[in-house]
Amino acid sequence: MRNKKANIQEFTSPHPLYQCLSTARCLMLRDKDVERWNKINELESLEDQRRGSMQWKADYESVCKFILKYFKTEIFNEDEIMRVIGILQINGHEVPTSDPAHVALFYKASFLEHSCTPNVAKSFNKDGHIVLWAPKEIKKGTHLSICYSDAVWGTADRQRHLMQTKVFKCQCPRCIDVSEYGTNYSALKCEKEGCKGLMLPASLNDWHKEWTCAECKAQVDKTYVNNILERAGSDINAMEKTRENCLKYLQHYGKWLPSHHYYMCEVKLYLVQQLGRQAHELMILSDEDLSMKLEYGRQLVELYETLAPCEVRMLGTLCFEVHSAVAENTRRISLHTSLSPKELLEESLMYVDKAANYLQFESDIFVEGHILKQARINRDALNMVMRM
């Protein structure tokens, strides 16, 4: 699916001033462009649910009051202004074609459902038009969905963000399954000495209650969980993302967090991206660091293809990193042994093919678009080698 031209494309920004201007532009369409105004009014504002919330109060103070005072108009009343603000908040899509990124309304895209493991990916061309496409086959009759939040966040953060910005509690299959398809992406290690089990709440509705170990059935209260996660999150945000600091983080928090926990994965992703970032750096990377890049890269691709299959920019870039690391490992093995590198070449080709597929709609105004060009070149070269 590809929506080449958006029916509606009104831009806003998280900054209150830009929100005011964008809201005003939408309101002015009522008298200037009735057709577009009617389409905007078809979109959900969730005004009844938003009214009285902290976000609604902030929008009222910083946007609604400003418009009434600055434009000195009586054409629109507070209810109309707040409804348009709600439409922008609920239906907006962040567009990364400007700096800072803006938010746009796309009429057709506004009717896509939400899922924390969606089946539709979003890309944007250089003109800011949205591209909706399916990275994997979608069976006939399946509802189309995108993620209204960030699919690589843990369950608690996704739920909190969706409630704050979209005013609903997510009940998608991933959220209902507290293990997140068996990945234990949000789990903690059991605190009981000698136990290898993992702790999670009993259900989504019990997320803020006691967490129970799946092995020994020991329980901890939410204060214990919050203390660990708050420290782990704060340390990631505060630390300089060097190789040494990332390794220290993994070692330290490995006492409480399993290897596939979202904070551990975030740090591993930094390492995969930093180790041998440039081709010449990759060639002089130590064998130990190259092995680590390969190990973490393979783990993350497998994990994110399960949890976030439509995070195509991240997956495409990650697959290209693994492809490059496998290619370098193949070069080293070929230099020092007489072993056939065929299997490694096939693996390298598999990852670069994935990278090209994930990034196929990325514009060359983005880094991902340049990675796409290189991935296609490398894929063609590898196919030629494999045919020899």
Side-chain angles (χ1 to χ4, degrees):
M1 297 176 298
R2 186 168 185 173
N3 180 14
K4 293 183 179 179
K5 291 187 178 180
N7 299 74
I8 301 171
Q9 192 172 341
E10 292 296 331
F11 291 93
T12 182
S13 166
H15 192 281
L17 177 59
Y18 290 102
Q19 287 182 315
C20 293
L21 295 174
S22 297
T23 303
R25 287 176 64 189
C26 287
L27 289 165
M28 290 176 183
L29 290 174
R30 189 184 70 178
D31 299 322
K32 294 184 176 180
D33 192 332
V34 176
E35 182 179 356
R36 294 180 81 194
W37 172 252
N38 288 338
K39 284 189 175 294
I40 287 176
N41 274 292
E42 290 178 26
L43 303 180
E44 182 60 73
S45 70
L46 296 181
E47 176 60 17
D48 292 340
Q49 293 93 322
R50 292 180 74 249
R51 182 173 289 274
S53 67
M54 293 298 293
Q55 184 64 54
W56 187 93
K57 292 176 181 177
D59 292 336
Y60 178 77
E61 292 295 328
S62 62
V63 182
C64 183
K65 282 188 173 181
F66 180 87
I67 289 175
L68 290 172
K69 180 179 180 180
Y70 181 81
F71 291 98
K72 297 179 181 179
T73 180
E74 296 181 356
I75 300 175
F76 306 103
N77 58 42
E78 290 183 355
D79 288 341
E80 290 174 311
I81 296 172
M82 292 305 296
R83 172 172 167 72
V84 170
I85 294 172
I87 289 171
L88 289 168
Q89 292 275 4
I90 298 301
N91 299 280
H93 294 264
E94 186 174 289
V95 182
T97 54
S98 60
D99 188 15
H102 286 70
V103 173
L105 284 181
F106 299 97
Y107 180 73
K108 292 179 181 178
S110 297
F111 292 92
L112 290 170
E113 292 183 357
H114 160 78
S115 173
C116 291
T117 312
N119 54 22
V120 172
K122 294 190 301 181
S123 297
F124 295 90
N125 64 23
K126 62 182 64 179
D127 297 318
H129 296 145
I130 196 169
V131 179
L132 300 172
W133 64 284
K136 296 181 180 179
E137 181 180 348
I138 301 175
K139 293 182 179 179
K140 183 178 179 180
T142 303
H143 289 202
L144 302 181
S145 60
I146 57 176
C147 186
Y148 294 179
S149 186
D150 192 326
V152 302
W153 288 351
T155 297
D157 289 333
R158 297 195 314 275
Q159 289 282 340
R160 187 182 305 111
H161 179 253
L162 289 168
M163 181 58 70
Q164 180 181 347
T165 60
K166 308 300 182 183
V167 205
F168 73 88
K169 180 177 181 177
C170 180
Q171 300 278 350
C172 76
R174 178 181 170 188
C175 285
I176 291 175
D177 177 5
V178 294
S179 77
E180 298 178 74
Y181 307 133
T183 64
N184 296 305
Y185 195 56
S186 298
L188 297 185
K189 288 184 175 180
C190 181
E191 67 164 351
K192 191 173 180 180
E193 186 175 353
C195 182
K196 302 297 183 181
L198 299 176
M199 297 186 298
L200 280 167
S203 70
L204 177 63
N205 293 331
D206 297 318
W207 206 269
H208 299 290
K209 299 179 182 178
E210 294 82 6
W211 286 32
T212 304
C213 174
E215 296 293 329
C216 71
K217 308 305 178 184
Q219 290 188 326
V220 294
D221 60 32
K222 197 56 170 60
T223 302
Y224 171 85
V225 175
N226 287 343
N227 286 340
I228 292 174
L229 295 180
E230 286 174 7
R231 290 202 311 271
S234 295
D235 283 351
I236 284 184
N237 292 331
M239 77 177 187
E240 184 181 357
K241 308 303 188 296
T242 63
R243 173 190 180 279
E244 290 71 23
N245 287 345
C246 286
L247 290 177
K248 287 179 182 177
Y249 183 98
L250 293 176
Q251 182 179 17
H252 178 70
Y253 281 102
K255 303 169 188 174
W256 301 281
L257 308 179
S259 62
H260 278 180
H261 189 275
Y262 55 88
Y263 281 145
M264 300 290 272
C265 290
E266 184 176 343
V267 174
K268 288 179 181 179
L269 188 59
Y270 284 126
L271 282 170
V272 172
Q273 292 171 338
Q274 289 179 5
L275 293 173
R277 179 181 293 271
Q278 303 296 330
H280 67 277
E281 295 174 348
L282 192 60
M283 293 180 68
I284 60 174
L285 200 64
S286 70
D287 289 343
E288 179 185 1
D289 283 353
L290 181 62
S291 295
M292 180 164 56
K293 183 182 180 79
L294 280 168
E295 178 187 354
Y296 290 163
R298 288 165 175 152
Q299 286 178 4
L300 292 173
V301 170
E302 181 180 2
L303 175 67
Y304 289 137
E305 284 186 333
T306 299
L307 291 180
C310 292
E311 291 295 316
V312 291
R313 283 173 291 281
M314 179 191 68
L315 276 168
T317 304
L318 188 55
C319 284
F320 188 81
E321 292 282 358
V322 179
H323 147 72
S324 300
V326 174
E328 172 59 21
N329 193 40
T330 305
R331 185 188 70 84
R332 296 184 186 189
I333 291 175
S334 298
L335 286 175
H336 297 99
T337 73
S338 59
L339 296 175
S340 170
K342 182 179 178 182
E343 289 186 2
L344 288 175
L345 287 173
E346 288 174 344
E347 183 185 17
S348 183
L349 177 59
M350 176 191 73
Y351 279 111
V352 78
D353 188 52
K354 282 187 175 186
N357 286 332
Y358 280 127
L359 300 176
Q360 62 183 290
F361 293 113
E362 297 307 307
S363 169
D364 59 9
I365 66 171
F366 305 122
V367 171
E368 293 84 358
H370 292 283
I371 294 174
L372 170 62
K373 288 182 178 179
Q374 190 61 54
R376 287 172 171 166
I377 292 171
N378 292 8
R379 181 176 61 182
D380 291 344
L382 274 171
N383 275 319
M384 185 178 300
V385 170
M386 295 296 291
R387 288 195 295 266
M388 293 174 62

